Amino acid sequence: GEAARGATAYVTLEPCAHYGRTPPCALGLVEAGIARVVTTFDDPDPRVSGRGHAMLREAGIEVVTGVEAESARRDMIGFLTRMERKRPYVTLKLAISADGMISEKPGVATAITGPMARARSHLMRAESDAILVGHTTVIIDDPELTCRLPGLIDQTPVRVVLASRGLLPEHSRLVRSASVLPVWVLAAGQPASAATEAMKEAGVRIIECESKDGRVDLSSAMVELAQRGIGRVLVEGGAVVASAFLKADLVDEIALFRSRITVGPDGVRALAEGSLDEVLSSPDFVAMADEVFGDDRLTLYIRQRD
């Protein structure tokens, strides 16, 4: 109301300048009588891209930009990656034992970290737009992929499965809960079968992607997700999926949980191809943060891009 006249507005991102579900935010600030607007940087959305700031200045409003820009970029990295790279920001989450394993043996689900670290990983789910696993993980673990922190079940992201044939087990937890919490399947080509029709009836959304060597082309899949509004993807797949995302140069951040337990020589290594140590020691990824949860440690490695 009148209290806004002559005031300063602090805005995380440039106020929008286009008509969508609501009128332009910049116009709302002008009509409110704001005298000064402090923002971080220009919105990379081509519908805005400096026009919001221009609209404010033309109305005689003082505009200050560049304030806390780096902090804001980190907070909005999903949106910015979707606008600038036309794909989501991808975080690869891995939990490894002291001897570098993610499971005690192939096909066996193994609890690597303790309850505090697992709670932290569930918070990461709540902060993401989508959580992604491979078809094999669904077969072995039959996961729910929900956010199980108290009060945050509604913050469960879209649950996404890479399944080249577009099929999930009919009685899996994902299919059974698809009518309540979204489940999307990224399929190679256009699957057509009675089973896929049954999945659709259960509420599963099947998204046709380009194929590569008979599998889902990950670059195409990420574009498909971005076009559907997904800005942050948390990849929790197994060793094959982790390797595939790294090989496709689609990983922007690695969230690595390290445990003190030892699995043994029969365990499954974090990557199906290549060495995780080599990835982490390369100049491509830089350790940016450490968190400790009892006997477990989380390190965030950020991909250095131009």
Side-chain angles (χ1 to χ4, degrees):
E2 286 302 313
R5 297 199 173 275
T8 296
Y10 295 87
V11 188
T12 309
L13 185 63
E14 174 187 11
C16 69
H18 62 281
Y19 285 85
R21 285 176 292 184
T22 59
C25 298
L27 180 60
L29 290 169
V30 171
E31 292 176 343
I34 294 292
R36 179 171 174 261
V37 173
V38 179
T39 68
T40 55
F41 46 79
D42 288 357
D43 187 340
D45 188 326
R47 297 170 298 178
V48 186
S49 193
R51 285 188 283 275
H53 287 152
M55 185 181 295
L56 296 173
R57 291 188 176 103
E58 289 170 3
I61 296 175
E62 179 188 356
V63 177
V64 179
T65 65
V67 177
E68 294 289 346
E70 286 305 312
S71 177
R73 174 167 284 276
R74 178 67 184 163
D75 288 342
M76 296 185 288
I77 195 64
F79 167 74
L80 296 175
T81 304
R82 188 165 64 88
M83 288 292 106
E84 296 168 354
R85 297 182 178 272
K86 311 305 178 187
R87 67 165 179 81
Y89 184 85
V90 175
T91 297
L92 173 61
K93 195 209 86 174
L94 296 168
I96 63 173
S97 62
D99 50 350
M101 307 297 179
I102 61 172
S103 175
E104 61 180 292
K105 60 181 62 176
V108 176
T110 306
I112 298 294
T113 56
M116 286 191 292
R118 288 197 292 273
R120 179 66 175 88
S121 70
H122 278 267
L123 182 60
M124 293 172 66
R125 290 182 179 184
E127 295 170 341
S128 303
D129 298 316
I131 176 174
L132 183 147
V133 299
H135 181 261
T136 301
T137 295
V138 177
I139 300 297
I140 294 173
D141 295 348
D142 190 20
E144 289 181 314
L145 300 180
T146 54
C147 176
R148 292 191 287 278
L149 294 177
L152 290 183
I153 184 67
D154 290 340
Q155 295 300 312
T156 294
V158 176
R159 299 167 296 166
V160 180
V161 181
L162 284 169
S164 297
R165 296 174 58 196
L167 295 175
L168 297 180
E170 182 180 350
H171 298 294
S172 66
R173 293 178 180 179
L174 289 175
V175 173
R176 295 203 312 268
S177 63
S179 61
V180 180
L181 296 168
V183 175
W184 297 357
V185 170
L186 301 175
Q190 186 173 8
S193 69
T196 56
E197 290 304 314
M199 284 170 49
K200 291 178 182 178
E201 291 179 6
V204 176
R205 183 176 184 178
I206 299 177
I207 299 174
E208 178 185 349
C209 304
E210 295 178 13
S211 63
K212 186 175 182 179
D213 300 326
R215 296 178 177 273
V216 174
D217 179 73
L218 291 182
S219 295
S220 164
M222 293 303 99
V223 170
E224 294 289 342
L225 292 182
Q227 290 176 347
R228 289 163 174 79
I230 300 298
R232 284 179 179 260
V233 173
L234 180 65
V235 176
E236 288 196 13
V240 173
V241 171
S243 293
F245 269 88
L246 285 167
K247 186 176 181 180
D249 194 25
L250 290 170
V251 176
D252 300 296
E253 178 177 318
I254 298 174
L256 181 63
F257 288 88
R258 290 184 175 92
S259 169
R260 292 185 182 179
I261 70 168
T262 300
V263 168
D266 295 330
V268 178
R269 296 203 168 274
L271 301 181
E273 297 180 31
S275 164
L276 179 60
D277 288 338
E278 289 182 4
V279 172
L280 300 180
S281 62
S282 76
D284 293 338
F285 286 93
V286 175
M288 300 295 288
D290 266 310
E291 300 175 29
V292 178
F293 304 94
D295 290 337
D296 304 315
R297 177 181 294 272
L298 167 63
T299 305
L300 299 179
Y301 296 86
I302 309 299
R303 180 75 157 87
Q304 302 303 294
R305 299 186 185 274
D306 295 333

